[in-house]
Amino acid sequence: MGLRNWLKSLFAPRPVVRDVSQMTSETVGGDAATREEIVDTTGQPLKPGRLRRGIRDPRLLPKTKTKPTTHIAWPRKKAKVLARDEADRLFSETMRTRDRNVRDLATDLEQLQRLGLPVWTDEGELAAALGLTISALRHYSIHRQRETTLHYVVFAIPKRSGGHRLIHAPKRRLKAIQRALHEQLVSRLPVSSFAHGFREGRSVATNATPHVAKPVVIKLDIVDCFPTIHVGRVRGLLIACGYSYPVAQTLAVLMTEPLRQPVEVDGTLYHVPVGPRVCVQGAPTSPGLCNAILRRLDHRLAGLARKYGFDFTRYADDLTFSGHDPASIKPILTISARIARDEGLPLNHEKTRVLRSGQRQTVTGVTVNQVAGLSRQERRRLRAALHQRRRAQDRDPVLDRRLQGKIAYLRMLNPAQASNLTRTATGGD
């Protein structure tokens, strides 16, 4: 080796590598004999075609090995290490992950600013934004295998189609935290224009309008939409938005909860998780997270609909296609099921419906055969109830408010139908 090459090798930066000799081939995705894994520290995008950069926390990177030199006395650099409480938190069970490529990710400020999201680089800034101390923040964002005090009130309500739906209602303080997260973060997450549920300015009326007077209406339903969105998907979404791994995991734990089973041990009642942490029904943040995580599904299904000349909308877990060509029904059903399965959101085929113009076509409870509104039978029942109320001697205030609510709902769907119904029921022209 010449002098020039020797000097070049001496001062050239060495690649950062991890020792993966103790890991299995399935974990590292390669040969079991692989002993080193190169860590990308260039700050390039994490995935092709994405903008989120792989910025690494230098304190968590493996230390590069340098050749010992005896003839040159280099000044030693101050070691970059984690504080003790920060290290305890990062390597706790709550922060555990099998993906070593995301554990040392730091904040991508450009990505956060690009999406208009709040900049939280660590748990201290997150706690300050929520008006909490770090200890209080960690109290609510720790996954405990033996919980003694529940943060949710769990109850079941009957479904219209049978069975029961579990509701996890957060207690007062956690609900305040989640509402603050919804206002500052979740409501600003990017969502598709095809989502009409849980969005300001959108409703069942806007969801049904694109499907009015269409010969074919296809209705699909996602199986257990909220329980399918587990903590890993929430964390992945927040990392893609630019947050560091510790902040993303803390936020994901704050907004998810597992199903728990009470177990008594030595006279003490513990609540043990019997499933993964998921977005629960009842948390203020779950609907917004659902819309954000289903964004790619929306775009893929909208592209499928556009290919066959159909329209597509989604309201929560209800997917609706409508168009004019009956020959497109089979490919839409087949391909949409495959797309949903690829996205980890399988369809409930028992709720699949294909509605033709010769039968009642309803989309999220709105009749769309000719115009958006209520069906003729529902309007007749409402007209009869208004007529009976007008002739009654004693007014029931509860019934009056209920009828006023139904009229207001119909006025939102179809002002003309509401005007005709109230005029007829009150004896007008």
Side-chain angles (χ1 to χ4, degrees):
M1 179 184 295
L3 178 61
R4 181 179 178 181
N5 292 336
W6 178 79
L7 290 173
K8 191 175 181 180
S9 65
L10 184 64
F11 294 101
R14 299 181 180 276
V16 180
V17 296
R18 291 192 182 99
D19 182 8
V20 294
S21 58
Q22 303 300 321
M23 302 179 67
T24 63
S25 58
E26 292 81 5
T27 305
V28 298
D31 188 2
T34 302
R35 300 190 63 81
E36 289 186 345
E37 177 186 44
I38 297 178
V39 182
D40 183 12
T41 58
T42 61
Q44 297 298 316
L46 283 177
K47 294 182 179 180
R50 303 297 176 89
L51 297 176
R52 208 290 189 198
R53 296 181 298 146
I55 302 174
R56 308 287 174 178
D57 188 341
R59 300 173 300 173
L60 299 174
L61 292 176
K63 303 301 181 286
T64 57
K65 296 180 180 179
T66 58
K67 294 181 180 179
T69 57
T70 57
H71 59 285
I72 301 177
W74 297 104
R76 291 195 173 189
K77 295 182 179 180
K78 187 177 180 180
K80 297 179 180 179
V81 296
L82 294 171
R84 180 172 180 176
D85 63 333
E86 192 177 3
D88 291 341
R89 170 67 169 170
L90 184 61
F91 295 100
S92 65
E93 184 178 359
T94 301
M95 293 287 179
R96 188 174 299 168
T97 177
R98 292 178 295 179
D99 191 349
R100 296 163 65 98
N101 290 321
V102 303
R103 189 178 193 121
D104 52 17
L105 284 176
T107 307
D108 186 349
L109 294 177
E110 293 181 2
Q111 178 75 339
L112 291 175
Q113 293 170 358
R114 188 181 299 115
L115 298 176
L117 299 177
V119 177
W120 299 324
T121 58
D122 54 34
E123 287 184 307
E125 294 182 1
L126 174 59
L130 298 176
L132 303 172
T133 62
I134 293 182
S135 60
L137 175 68
R138 291 178 178 175
H139 172 72
Y140 288 101
S141 59
I142 289 181
H143 176 71
R144 299 178 178 86
Q145 295 293 344
R146 297 191 307 171
E147 182 69 79
T148 56
T149 303
L150 289 178
H151 298 308
Y152 292 81
V153 177
V154 184
F155 57 94
I157 59 175
K159 292 183 179 180
R160 185 174 57 180
S161 57
H164 292 82
R165 176 180 286 109
L166 281 181
I167 304 298
H168 289 69
K171 293 183 179 178
R172 179 179 57 83
R173 195 172 183 194
L174 179 58
K175 181 181 289 186
I177 295 173
Q178 291 181 344
R179 283 178 173 170
L181 284 175
H182 174 76
E183 180 181 356
Q184 299 181 43
L185 171 66
V186 178
S187 62
R188 302 181 184 181
L189 292 173
V191 298
S192 74
S193 60
F194 308 100
H196 291 262
F198 318 115
R199 295 185 62 189
E200 187 175 354
R202 302 290 183 93
S203 64
V204 293
T206 62
N207 181 67
T209 299
H211 310 293
V212 173
K214 297 292 182 63
V216 177
V217 174
I218 303 173
K219 300 186 350 179
L220 307 175
D221 184 85
I222 299 174
V223 177
D224 297 331
C225 184
F226 282 4
T228 305
I229 303 174
H230 54 78
V231 65
R233 300 189 75 162
V234 178
R235 182 185 65 204
L237 168 69
L238 297 173
I239 288 176
C241 289
Y243 289 105
S244 64
Y245 175 82
V247 172
Q249 179 68 358
T250 300
L251 288 168
V253 175
L254 275 174
M255 298 185 287
T256 57
E257 173 70 6
L259 184 64
R260 295 183 181 271
Q261 177 71 36
V263 177
E264 186 174 353
V265 179
D266 296 334
T268 303
L269 185 64
Y270 297 102
H271 301 274
V272 181
V274 293
R277 298 189 72 94
V278 297
C279 288
V280 292
Q281 299 188 60
T285 53
S286 293
L289 289 174
C290 173
N291 279 338
I293 291 176
L294 268 61
R295 183 185 179 206
R296 187 169 69 173
L297 173 69
D298 291 345
H299 285 293
R300 294 184 67 180
L301 293 179
L304 171 66
R306 188 164 51 250
K307 177 181 178 181
Y308 290 96
F310 273 55
D311 290 310
F312 167 77
T313 61
R314 179 180 62 82
Y315 191 95
D317 57 354
D318 294 325
L319 314 175
T320 308
F321 296 85
S322 65
H324 296 81
D325 186 10
S328 302
I329 295 175
K330 185 175 181 180
I332 287 179
L333 290 175
T334 303
I335 300 174
S336 61
R338 185 173 71 241
I339 291 175
R341 189 168 55 251
D342 291 344
E343 295 293 329
L345 298 158
L347 301 180
N348 185 354
H349 297 289
E350 294 182 357
K351 293 186 177 182
T352 299
R353 299 288 184 271
V354 178
L355 307 175
R356 310 297 183 106
S357 57
Q359 60 189 128
R360 182 191 298 179
Q361 297 172 320
T362 58
V363 176
T364 53
V366 181
T367 303
V368 295
N369 287 74
Q370 299 298 328
V371 295
L374 295 180
S375 66
R376 183 180 294 109
Q377 291 81 359
E378 291 171 314
R379 296 200 307 274
R380 284 175 177 172
R381 286 195 293 267
L382 184 54
R383 183 184 297 111
L386 290 172
H387 183 69
Q388 291 176 0
R389 186 195 67 168
R390 185 172 65 88
R391 299 186 59 182
Q393 297 293 333
D394 298 325
R395 294 292 184 91
D396 184 354
V398 176
L399 179 60
D400 286 348
R401 288 194 296 269
R402 186 178 303 166
L403 291 176
Q404 290 172 4
K406 291 182 178 181
I407 291 296
Y409 175 69
L410 178 58
R411 187 174 293 110
M412 177 192 69
L413 299 179
N414 192 316
Q417 286 184 355
S419 178
N420 292 336
L421 187 146
T422 54
R423 184 171 61 251
T424 303
T426 55
D429 295 336

